[in-house]
Amino acid sequence: EITALSLAAASEEQPLAGTSLLLTAGPTREALDPVRYLSNHSSGKMGFAIAEQAQRLGAKVTLVAGPVSLPTPAGVTRIDVESAQQMLDAVMAQVEEHQLFIGCAAVADYRPIAVADNKIKKSAESMMVEMVRNPDILATVAAHSKRPFTVGFAAETQDVAHYAMDKLKRKNLDMIAANDVSKPEQGFNADSNALTLYWDGGSQALGYSGKSDQAKQLLLAIAKRL
Amino acid sequence: EITALSLAAASEEQPLAGTSLLLTAGPTREALDPVRYLSNHSSGKMGFAIAEQAQRLGAKVTLVAGPVSLPTPAGVTRIDVESAQQMLDAVMAQVEEHQLFIGCAAVADYRPIAVADNKIKKSAESMMVEMVRNPDILATVAAHSKRPFTVGFAAETQDVAHYAMDKLKRKNLDMIAANDVSKPEQGFNADSNALTLYWDGGSQALGYSGKSDQAKQLLLAIAKRL
């Protein structure tokens, strides 16, 4: 009886036991030439918090990380990448072996069309940089024939619910976690967040809390729907 | 006699005693919208090494730093900035009170012409970003009526001596420290460097060594010409 209770408690504490999670985190860097790049303000904190909490909740975690200054959570397998293309390659090489994918990285939507071999000399008063769209990692994962349960993030500065629901449907995701990065107390470099989760037919506001707590609540909400 | 010897020794060890140094370090970040930016691979290590060594050599040091993850050297006054325009403003507010200026920051040559208030939505397959030239901090300092002894850096990937000498003359600098960032063992993220110094009528190759040693050798070469 004690054993049965303990097992029940363990199962309740580790709802992701037996689940393998593939996760992206941080920004990507898109080279303009050997010294210049385009990037964004993602700190990777939210993704690394998810990796740590998922491992505690019993999951086997593979973390594909853009350039960030964060230590690897204990027990997590980490693959470091720079560009969106490198991140896609690392994800697609791993995707069939995972049941759950969370795209938490702030992947650059565009990259400069050509990387200059040598540093561009400044000679003109103005310069046009032609950018082309990067591959869409989330949509590529969601369109895979052996797709995992696919969760995306939406960092928005306006009409958050509208853009999040649109992204959920357009990219065929199973869930999306939205946050309003125009609010200074949440988002890219903050230690806290206030995610709202959307899925087909439901939503859940997690309220304002630290990123570890947000990560755990997100993972518990996913575990119910896996 | 002992006192005279000690003073001589102290003076030899602190050739920058009584000198005030204004120094820039790190990259700048140029905003494209609230989340995206253009930057470069400068780690700030060389500039921070110069700040630390200058303070040891007796100088009063003010360090204007772009976004880097480095601790402030003991005894150094630090002003944090993000963009080239902010760096220029901080430098010009301080320049008259300093006898020596070293521009070690990798200032972005161009910035996006307009910063979007809200995150740019990706809707097109390609996008043109119009960039305009940033203010030239080194040249602005060197053109000031009460100019300090002005030292610049030249990070090049080809024809290093040619571009360094051209920059020295074109910007009216007193000295330029050049390095070839195409070599993997020196430059932006390396812990070592191999600077060559150029001034009107002379040059000095510092050889390959750690950034602290490079910084000290550079400062001793400057102290001879102040």
Side-chain angles (χ1 to χ4, degrees):
Chain A
E1 206 172 74
I2 291 165
T3 309
L5 277 171
S6 304
L7 279 173
S11 155
E12 200 168 46
E13 283 164 12
Q14 295 216 310
L16 293 177
T19 304
S20 59
L21 164 64
L22 181 62
L23 174 71
T24 64
T28 65
R29 278 185 186 167
E30 308 300 325
L32 196 62
D33 67 20
V35 294
R36 297 186 185 88
Y37 62 83
L38 193 82
S39 192
N40 64 64
H41 289 287
S42 172
S43 65
K45 286 176 187 170
M46 190 68 216
F48 276 62
I50 293 170
E52 184 175 2
Q53 292 300 319
Q55 205 273 339
R56 286 191 188 175
L57 293 173
K60 182 178 162 293
V61 182
T62 304
L63 172 62
V64 179
V68 293
S69 308
L70 292 172
T72 308
V76 167
T77 301
R78 176 172 176 173
I79 302 168
D80 283 320
V81 297
E82 289 255 327
S83 68
Q85 186 63 53
Q86 288 170 355
M87 188 172 275
L88 177 71
D89 292 347
V91 164
M92 297 318 286
Q94 299 275 339
V95 72
E96 289 191 15
E97 290 145 45
H98 293 80
Q99 293 106 49
L100 170 59
F101 175 79
I102 304 179
C104 191
V107 181
D109 299 327
Y110 292 88
R111 66 174 184 277
I113 198 166
V115 179
D117 283 339
N118 288 308
K119 189 181 162 187
I120 298 163
K121 304 307 297 180
K122 59 172 172 181
S123 48
E125 276 307 305
S126 68
M127 178 169 78
M128 294 296 279
V129 178
E130 188 172 359
M131 313 273 284
V132 290
R133 272 179 74 164
N134 263 328
D136 186 327
I137 298 174
L138 256 182
T140 308
V141 168
H144 194 274
S145 59
K146 296 181 182 177
R147 63 173 282 175
F149 187 94
T150 304
V151 180
F153 272 73
E156 302 294 344
T157 51
Q158 56 186 335
D159 291 338
V160 176
H162 169 74
Y163 282 120
M165 288 298 293
D166 175 66
K167 191 170 177 179
L168 179 81
K169 284 171 191 166
R170 187 166 33 86
K171 298 197 179 183
N172 192 29
L173 309 179
D174 295 296
M175 186 184 285
I176 195 157
N179 64 346
D180 184 346
V181 293
S182 71
K183 296 183 180 165
E185 73 278 12
Q186 62 193 68
F188 281 179
N189 274 300
D191 289 315
S192 299
N193 218 334
L195 297 173
T196 303
L197 313 182
Y198 299 90
W199 57 90
D200 187 16
S203 73
Q204 181 184 346
L206 301 188
Y208 182 72
S209 67
K211 284 189 172 174
S212 287
D213 181 67
Q214 294 279 311
K216 189 175 177 183
Q217 288 192 64
L218 167 65
L219 290 162
L220 293 177
I222 291 169
K224 282 188 195 164
R225 284 164 193 86
L226 264 181
Chain B
E1 209 171 73
I2 291 167
T3 308
L5 276 171
S6 302
L7 279 171
S11 155
E12 202 169 45
E13 283 164 11
Q14 295 216 310
L16 293 178
T19 303
S20 58
L21 164 64
L22 181 62
L23 173 72
T24 64
T28 64
R29 279 185 186 167
E30 309 300 325
L32 196 63
D33 68 19
V35 295
R36 297 185 185 88
Y37 62 84
L38 193 81
S39 191
N40 63 65
H41 290 288
S42 171
S43 65
K45 286 176 188 170
M46 191 66 217
F48 276 62
I50 292 171
E52 184 176 2
Q53 292 300 318
Q55 204 274 340
R56 287 191 187 175
L57 293 172
K60 182 179 161 294
V61 182
T62 304
L63 171 62
V64 180
V68 294
S69 307
L70 292 172
T72 308
V76 168
T77 301
R78 175 172 177 173
I79 301 168
D80 283 319
V81 297
E82 289 254 328
S83 69
Q85 186 62 54
Q86 289 170 354
M87 188 172 275
L88 177 71
D89 293 345
V91 164
M92 296 318 286
Q94 299 275 340
V95 73
E96 289 191 15
E97 290 146 45
H98 292 80
Q99 293 106 49
L100 171 59
F101 175 78
I102 304 179
C104 191
V107 181
D109 299 326
Y110 292 89
R111 67 174 183 278
I113 198 166
V115 179
D117 283 340
N118 287 307
K119 189 181 162 189
I120 298 162
K121 304 307 296 180
K122 60 172 172 182
S123 47
E125 276 307 305
S126 68
M127 177 169 78
M128 294 297 279
V129 178
E130 188 173 359
M131 314 273 284
V132 290
R133 271 180 73 165
N134 263 327
D136 186 326
I137 298 174
L138 257 181
T140 307
V141 168
H144 194 274
S145 60
K146 296 181 183 176
R147 63 172 282 175
F149 187 95
T150 305
V151 181
F153 272 74
E156 302 294 343
T157 51
Q158 56 186 335
D159 291 339
V160 175
H162 169 74
Y163 282 120
M165 289 298 292
D166 174 66
K167 191 171 177 179
L168 179 81
K169 285 170 190 168
R170 187 165 34 85
K171 299 198 179 182
N172 193 30
L173 309 179
D174 295 296
M175 186 184 283
I176 195 156
N179 64 347
D180 184 345
V181 293
S182 72
K183 296 183 180 166
E185 73 279 12
Q186 63 193 69
F188 281 179
N189 274 300
D191 290 314
S192 298
N193 218 334
L195 297 173
T196 304
L197 313 182
Y198 299 91
W199 57 91
D200 187 15
S203 72
Q204 181 184 345
L206 301 188
Y208 181 72
S209 66
K211 285 189 172 173
S212 288
D213 181 67
Q214 294 280 310
K216 189 175 178 182
Q217 288 192 65
L218 166 66
L219 290 161
L220 294 176
I222 291 169
K224 281 187 197 165
R225 285 162 193 86
L226 265 183

